[in-house]
Amino acid sequence: RAKKAQPVCPAGERRGVGSRVSEAVVSLPPAPSARCCPMKWAVVAGRAAHNPLHAHRSSSVGSRIRGGREGVAGVSYLARREERWWRHQSNSTGWGGSLSGIRSGRRGRGASKEGRVMSSSSARDEEASARASVKRHEYGHGDVKLFGYVAEGAATASRPRPAVLVVHTAIGPHEEFIMDKLRRLAELGYVAFGVDMFGAEAVVLGEEKVRYNKQFKDDRKLLQSRILAAFHEAASLPFTDASRVAAIGYCFGGKAVLDLARSGVEGLRASISFHGILDAPVELEGTPITARVVAFHGSRDPFIALEDKLSFHSEMEARCRGSKKWQMVEFGGCFHAFTRPDKTQESDRTQGLFYDEYAAEKSWAMMVDVLAEEM
């Protein structure tokens, strides 16, 4: 018998994911007891937000599994369960879910009877992961010399690729935490650009750290100007598609990528903040935001008051006009710096800083989905 034609899914939609939510409190399944943490719920607010139970699913199972070798959600209990779900969907419905299908607003057919999802994008990711490397990249902003990084895979040599800026925490970009993020993004097929906001050639600590951070806290115009310089530098690289650039940032870097989105710069597809500071700069104009904005933070973050969350909510509703999407995802029971594996001492917790493996993996996987949808 002739098979019934499958409907075409509009861009950004997901088959079997469930309805989108505007504001909801959703119970999240915990990881096994050995990996479980206090976080068992999340609040998701924003226009066109995905159900967080499914939003972390990567559009390429292959890339999720490869990333898992380095500690991404690919090796976790949730990822294995989601992989089984995805294979079941491929078997029962014939829908694939390739990265290229999402970009064009379609879904590809499953590659085999077993439901194996292997898109052309995944093949390119395999090639990129074999030769991903991080190199020092010097650039400037005015008379300030900056020391960033570029991570690229084999795929960048053939044609221009979308780029992702990675903005560091309050100690600068010269640490393994940032190098790891650059490599993982390059292995996903992106050009990863490590931003340097300070101009120091090493990690900054103590009084030096306070001095570098205070200048940007006191002058948000300088902060926005410096991150825009990094954006234009990354967009000008010969192997970068300047029309497809995103930015992710941690802590201080989260504030920077949000200010980048507030600039309304053309070519920016998404700004994603991990436990970043949410306050809007009063000295900058309220330019309409044209990029996708996502902010992840913990409910116990002492640096984000309830008033900050409410103000951010109001700001995004006012500035993300039309059909633009934005999300604010709060992980219950999590502190500031929940993505940093080095923050595990009791002294860290007393300062409001503590690593949470579940939230770190979940937020990273959700970020991967956002990049796939927007880039």
Side-chain angles (χ1 to χ4, degrees):
R1 294 181 297 176
K3 291 185 178 179
K4 184 177 179 181
Q6 296 285 3
V8 176
C9 295
E13 295 289 332
R14 293 180 177 276
R15 185 176 179 87
V17 168
S19 61
R20 295 165 179 256
V21 295
S22 178
E23 295 184 9
V25 177
V26 187
S27 295
L28 291 176
S33 57
R35 300 164 63 96
C36 194
C37 70
M39 195 280 292
K40 292 179 180 156
W41 56 269
V43 174
V44 181
R47 190 169 303 154
H50 287 299
N51 186 328
L53 289 172
H54 304 281
H56 69 282
R57 182 179 304 113
S58 171
S59 52
S60 169
V61 171
S63 64
R64 289 278 306 287
I65 299 303
R66 287 190 300 280
R69 298 193 190 110
E70 295 187 19
V72 191
V75 296
S76 70
Y77 160 79
L78 283 173
R80 292 196 299 271
R81 190 182 69 179
E82 291 301 324
E83 180 192 357
R84 291 195 296 269
W85 181 93
W86 195 251
R87 292 184 184 277
H88 171 72
Q89 290 295 100
S90 297
N91 284 332
S92 59
T93 67
W95 291 91
S98 68
L99 185 60
S100 57
I102 287 179
R103 286 177 183 158
S104 61
R106 301 187 300 274
R107 290 289 186 272
R109 298 289 295 184
S112 68
K113 277 187 175 182
E114 291 76 16
R116 183 174 298 164
V117 180
M118 181 58 69
S119 65
S120 59
S121 174
S122 297
R124 288 194 298 271
D125 294 345
E126 287 283 7
E127 182 185 9
S129 64
R131 286 167 40 192
S133 61
V134 181
K135 299 177 182 178
R136 189 77 167 260
H137 181 85
E138 294 186 6
Y139 65 107
H141 176 227
D143 58 353
V144 178
K145 193 173 184 178
L146 301 169
F147 307 92
Y149 297 90
V150 175
E152 53 180 304
T156 58
S158 57
R159 62 186 179 86
R161 303 285 294 177
V164 181
L165 279 64
V166 180
V167 191
H168 54 81
T169 67
I171 64 174
H174 313 295
E175 60 161 336
E176 179 55 31
F177 178 78
I178 296 297
M179 300 303 109
D180 175 64
K181 302 299 180 286
L182 294 172
R183 285 191 292 266
R184 286 161 64 176
L185 285 166
E187 289 167 5
L188 290 172
Y190 299 103
V191 177
F193 186 87
V195 176
D196 179 16
M197 296 291 288
F198 296 159
E201 295 191 61
V203 167
V204 296
L205 301 170
E207 293 183 1
E208 189 180 23
K209 170 186 170 183
V210 173
R211 177 171 58 84
Y212 275 112
N213 284 269
K214 187 176 186 302
Q215 67 173 332
F216 292 110
K217 183 177 180 180
D218 296 340
D219 190 350
R220 293 290 283 274
K221 287 186 177 180
L222 175 62
L223 174 66
Q224 190 177 78
S225 178
R226 184 69 55 86
I227 189 63
L228 278 169
F231 173 87
H232 292 303
E233 181 69 18
S236 68
L237 296 174
F239 38 80
T240 294
D241 181 349
S243 66
R244 293 189 293 163
V245 181
I248 70 172
Y250 296 84
C251 185
F252 165 82
K255 176 196 285 189
V257 300
L258 291 176
D259 277 7
L260 180 63
R262 290 173 174 122
S263 73
V265 63
E266 185 178 354
L268 180 66
R269 299 293 188 91
S271 280
I272 304 171
S273 167
F274 294 84
H275 43 82
I277 308 303
L278 303 177
D279 64 308
V282 295
E283 62 267 40
L284 297 179
E285 296 180 2
T287 308
I289 294 175
T290 58
R292 172 87 168 268
V293 174
V294 182
F296 299 111
H297 64 95
S299 67
R300 297 186 184 180
D301 191 328
F303 305 106
I304 304 198
L306 177 60
E307 293 76 15
D308 296 329
K309 301 174 191 177
L310 296 176
S311 297
F312 182 77
H313 185 286
S314 299
E315 180 196 5
M316 292 298 107
E317 283 293 298
R319 297 178 66 175
C320 296
R321 298 171 184 170
S323 60
K324 262 300 148 198
K325 302 175 287 292
W326 72 273
Q327 285 86 50
M328 180 168 57
V329 182
E330 180 173 272
F331 291 100
C334 294
F335 293 85
H336 191 72
F338 62 79
T339 63
R340 294 196 61 101
D342 56 319
K343 301 299 182 184
T344 56
Q345 302 300 315
E346 197 58 36
S347 58
D348 297 320
R349 193 193 298 272
T350 58
Q351 298 178 57
L353 318 171
F354 208 77
Y355 174 62
D356 190 290
E357 183 182 24
Y358 187 92
E361 291 183 349
K362 194 81 166 179
S363 58
W364 177 269
M366 292 174 73
M367 177 214 72
V368 171
D369 264 359
V370 171
L371 294 179
E373 291 169 359
E374 300 299 328
M375 305 271 274

